[in-house]
Amino acid sequence: MSGQSITDRITAAQHSVTGSAVSKTVCKATTHEIMGPKKKHLDYLIHCTNEMNVNIPQLADSLFERTTNTSWVVVFKSLITTHHLMVYGNERFVQYLASRNTLFNLSNFLDKSGLQGYDMSTFIRRYSRYLNEKAVSYRQVAFDFTKVKRGVDGVMRTMNTEKLLKTIPIIQNQMDALLDFNVNANELTNGVINAAFMLLFKDSIRLFAAYNEGIINLLEKYFDMKKTQCKEGLDIYKKFLTRMTRISEFLKVAEQVGIDRGDIPDLSQFTVCAPSSLLEALEQHLASLEGKKVKDSTAASRASTLSNAVSSLASTGMSFTKVDEREKQAALEEEQARLKALKEQRLKELSKRPSFATTDTSPISTTGGTINTAPAIDLFSTPSCSNGAVKMESDLFDLQSTFQPAVQSASSGLPVATAWADSFCGPVSIAQHLPHQAPFPTEPSTVAGLFRGYSSPQPPPQPPAGLQVDFESVFGAKATGSNSLNAEG
């Protein structure tokens, strides 16, 4: 945060209050720090373009709003962020930019705050023009030249003649806007312009690969075209040769600033191998269609010249494809390394959490523990006996035979000791009434509860059936006596 200005912090705080995470991230990606936008902010914005609930027009408007700033750093970083989203973001972001009538209106931008502001303002005007042209190209052909399928069955190789003659000039206009950035190695003096140059370098490789395949398709169809088509095709090929020289100079700058030579395609092969007689053969064919007198040339020599040119262009295209595949592989390895780091971080977080052992032999337990053998306490049950011993439900069914004599004795009036008469008829052991008494001593109540389970709470003891008390005669006599006393009084 040390490089951010107070204005950056206030603006970010305002977006935090309003709850706009997208606008806040745009603000953080386009601060006054003289460095490229941070990767974490760019990654978040790319993720936003892939989310259907994110408002793409709002995201684009936030970037356009930042380009109205007077600081060259903020404006330049806004353009870089927009370019990054056009290349790596969801296609609907580019679609929205292509649907707008106006994009970046920075043709008169000038930062007068310092000498560096004057220098960088020139590149801002050129960079904004390229981004505008990139969006216009998408509007015209409905696809991005830097993302089209390449190869023998690619988009540019399988295009028909009429569409091809209309599409290649669009690529040429975008290529011209890119090459007009025209930066030298000694002018790449800060992280902001370096970030912009890297994006332009990657676009130049992919754009020229599509351009190259379009020219191959053009040459293969040239001798079967009509006169007007041949005239357009010859003009396109001449412009292609001039752009070959300019793109070579652009790639030399990339080599001078430290980009690996393996990442820079070799264009010298076509310059050396392309026969000078190819252009002459194309011109003679057009002249013959126009009725002009030309020197005789056999079909075999013409086919040989065309074959050599196409093969050299194809080899040049292969070098572009290899560079693109190497970049994709590097991006894939970087993503795998990032996922691995996240996985290791997650494992460390899980290892720091406390673990609870269930048993001594549990495979998931990390520390040894003891098993608590104390029986669970039922907070909602009533105590079954005074000494706290737990009686088994099976014992109640075994004692069923003891209740029958009690019923019989009730009819005869003789007292009989039962299991419910402990408190009235003296201590009577339950084991005396069991039909089969175990030969071993009884086990403690806690152990019995552990191995045999717990029983439902038993009802409180009731008076035995053998105990007959005439409460009515007693209380009736008292009641009679009390009434008589009241009468006498």
Side-chain angles (χ1 to χ4, degrees):
M1 296 282 294
S2 59
Q4 296 183 14
S5 64
I6 298 178
T7 305
D8 295 331
R9 301 184 186 184
I10 293 176
T11 307
Q14 290 175 349
H15 292 305
S16 298
V17 172
T18 58
S20 177
V22 174
S23 300
K24 179 181 178 181
T25 307
V26 169
C27 178
K28 287 183 172 293
T30 58
T31 58
H32 288 76
E33 297 175 278
I34 304 180
M35 57 180 294
K38 294 182 179 179
K39 187 177 183 301
K40 62 179 181 179
H41 299 144
L42 295 176
D43 291 344
Y44 178 79
L45 294 177
I46 291 174
H47 174 72
C48 289
T49 62
N50 293 315
E51 293 293 331
M52 298 305 298
N53 59 345
V54 173
N55 192 343
I56 295 297
Q58 179 185 356
L59 171 59
D61 290 341
S62 299
L63 291 169
F64 289 136
E65 182 182 357
R66 296 295 285 174
T67 59
T68 60
N69 198 288
T70 57
S71 171
W72 70 268
V73 182
V74 176
V75 177
F76 216 153
K77 293 172 75 171
S78 302
L79 297 176
I80 294 171
T81 304
T82 304
H83 191 184
H84 194 89
L85 295 181
M86 294 176 74
V87 175
Y88 300 105
N90 193 281
E91 191 174 3
R92 63 195 187 114
F93 181 78
V94 186
Q95 290 174 351
Y96 174 74
L97 296 181
S99 66
R100 289 177 61 102
N101 295 327
T102 57
L103 292 178
F104 299 106
N105 187 15
L106 298 173
S107 57
N108 297 322
F109 177 80
L110 182 61
D111 186 352
K112 301 179 181 180
S113 59
L115 181 60
Q116 193 176 24
Y118 277 96
D119 296 336
M120 294 296 107
S121 296
T122 303
F123 296 107
I124 287 175
R125 294 192 294 269
R126 297 172 182 174
Y127 194 28
S128 63
R129 178 176 175 269
Y130 169 72
L131 295 182
N132 290 341
E133 191 65 37
K134 186 178 177 71
V136 171
S137 298
Y138 188 93
R139 182 192 307 168
Q140 292 175 334
V141 297
F143 60 83
D144 190 348
F145 290 113
T146 62
K147 298 180 182 180
V148 295
K149 182 181 179 181
R150 296 196 293 268
V152 179
D153 57 344
V155 174
M156 299 303 298
R157 292 290 294 271
T158 58
M159 196 173 289
N160 58 51
T161 304
E162 290 78 10
K163 190 174 182 180
L164 183 65
L165 293 175
K166 294 179 181 179
T167 303
I168 294 181
I170 299 175
I171 301 180
Q172 289 177 340
N173 293 335
Q174 186 175 342
M175 180 63 70
D176 289 342
L178 189 151
L179 297 175
D180 285 343
F181 192 72
N182 195 23
V183 65
N184 297 322
N186 56 359
E187 293 174 324
L188 300 174
T189 56
N190 59 75
V192 180
I193 192 172
N194 289 345
F197 179 78
M198 286 302 301
L199 290 173
L200 290 172
F201 168 72
K202 295 177 181 179
D203 267 15
S204 66
I205 293 177
R206 297 166 182 167
L207 185 61
F208 191 83
Y211 191 15
N212 185 72
E213 291 191 350
I215 295 298
I216 293 176
N217 191 10
L218 176 68
L219 293 177
E220 291 176 343
K221 292 180 170 61
Y222 182 82
F223 293 101
D224 297 328
M225 293 180 182
K226 300 176 182 179
K227 182 175 67 174
T228 55
Q229 293 176 341
C230 286
K231 188 174 182 179
E232 293 179 12
L234 180 60
D235 183 62
I236 288 174
Y237 181 72
K238 289 180 179 179
K239 291 180 179 179
F240 173 75
L241 295 178
T242 58
R243 284 162 180 77
M244 284 285 292
T245 304
R246 294 186 64 189
I247 191 65
S248 299
E249 295 174 355
F250 184 85
L251 296 179
K252 286 180 181 178
V253 176
E255 184 179 353
Q256 292 173 2
V257 296
I259 297 178
D260 189 6
R261 289 181 61 94
D263 296 334
I264 301 175
D266 186 14
L267 300 181
S268 61
Q269 187 173 4
F270 175 77
T271 306
V272 174
C273 299
S276 58
S277 59
L278 175 62
L279 180 59
E280 183 180 355
L282 298 177
E283 293 174 343
Q284 288 181 1
H285 179 71
L286 177 60
S288 65
L289 293 178
E290 293 176 346
K292 297 179 181 179
K293 185 178 180 181
V294 295
K295 64 180 182 179
D296 297 334
S297 60
T298 62
S301 63
R302 186 176 61 185
S304 176
T305 301
L306 180 61
S307 178
N308 292 335
V310 169
S311 62
S312 60
L313 284 173
S315 61
T316 302
M318 287 297 296
S319 64
F320 279 95
T321 303
K322 291 179 180 178
V323 171
D324 198 13
E325 290 178 353
R326 192 180 298 111
E327 181 185 352
K328 291 180 180 179
Q329 183 65 26
L332 182 61
E333 293 176 356
E334 180 182 356
E335 184 68 16
Q336 290 176 349
R338 188 176 68 87
L339 291 176
K340 183 179 179 181
L342 290 176
K343 183 178 179 181
E344 293 177 353
Q345 181 180 1
R346 181 60 177 169
L347 292 176
K348 290 181 180 178
E349 292 177 356
L350 292 176
S351 63
K352 292 180 181 179
R353 294 184 179 180
S355 59
F356 301 95
T358 56
T359 60
D360 290 340
T361 59
S362 174
I364 63 172
S365 61
T366 55
T367 57
T370 59
I371 301 177
N372 186 8
T373 59
I377 301 175
D378 191 355
L379 300 177
F380 300 97
S381 64
T382 57
S384 59
C385 18
S386 60
N387 58 358
V390 181
K391 297 183 180 296
M392 299 301 300
E393 186 177 1
S394 59
D395 296 341
L396 295 177
F397 292 105
D398 293 338
L399 293 176
Q400 207 168 17
S401 59
T402 63
F403 297 140
Q404 297 175 358
V407 176
Q408 297 174 358
S409 63
S411 59
S412 61
L414 298 176
V416 178
T418 64
W420 300 102
D422 294 347
S423 58
F424 296 96
C425 304
V428 179
S429 175
I430 296 176
Q432 296 175 0
H433 303 284
L434 293 177
H436 302 286
Q437 184 176 0
F440 302 102
T442 59
E443 52 200 359
S445 60
T446 56
V447 178
L450 177 63
F451 291 98
R452 293 186 295 175
Y454 301 102
S455 63
S456 57
Q458 299 179 0
Q462 299 177 357
L467 182 61
Q468 301 292 334
V469 181
D470 191 359
F471 292 99
E472 294 180 357
S473 61
V474 174
F475 290 102
K478 288 184 179 182
T480 304
S482 62
N483 292 334
S484 63
L485 291 175
N486 292 332
E488 291 177 359

